[in-house]
Amino acid sequence: MYEHFFQCPYCWEEISVLLDPSVSKQTYIEDCENCCNPIEFDVAFQNGEITEFEARSIEQ
């Protein structure tokens, strides 16, 4: 697993997510551990290294 730190698009706190580098391209939704709002992630890995990371708010 790969721990990646980023800023929540809702509360702006720095938080982290655990990413699985065995899956080369991923899109999923996870709640912020601080404010509990849903965040959509787009993640890509190549040769075990993160090449793309986007965390965006989901308009509700």
Side-chain angles (χ1 to χ4, degrees):
M1 295 301 278
Y2 181 93
E3 185 175 24
H4 184 73
F5 292 87
F6 69 101
Q7 194 171 43
C8 173
Y10 296 99
C11 67
W12 305 109
E13 291 293 321
E14 183 177 44
I15 58 174
S16 69
V17 289
L18 291 176
L19 304 172
D20 183 359
S22 69
V23 181
S24 61
K25 188 115 173 111
Q26 311 168 41
T27 300
Y28 67 96
I29 296 171
E30 188 172 315
D31 290 344
C32 172
E33 62 189 39
N34 187 56
C35 69
C36 300
N37 284 300
I39 303 168
E40 183 174 25
F41 295 95
D42 283 321
V43 183
F45 284 92
Q46 187 172 19
N47 298 324
E49 295 291 321
I50 192 166
T51 57
E52 179 184 325
F53 181 87
E54 185 177 2
R56 61 183 167 275
S57 62
I58 299 174
E59 298 301 323
Q60 297 180 3

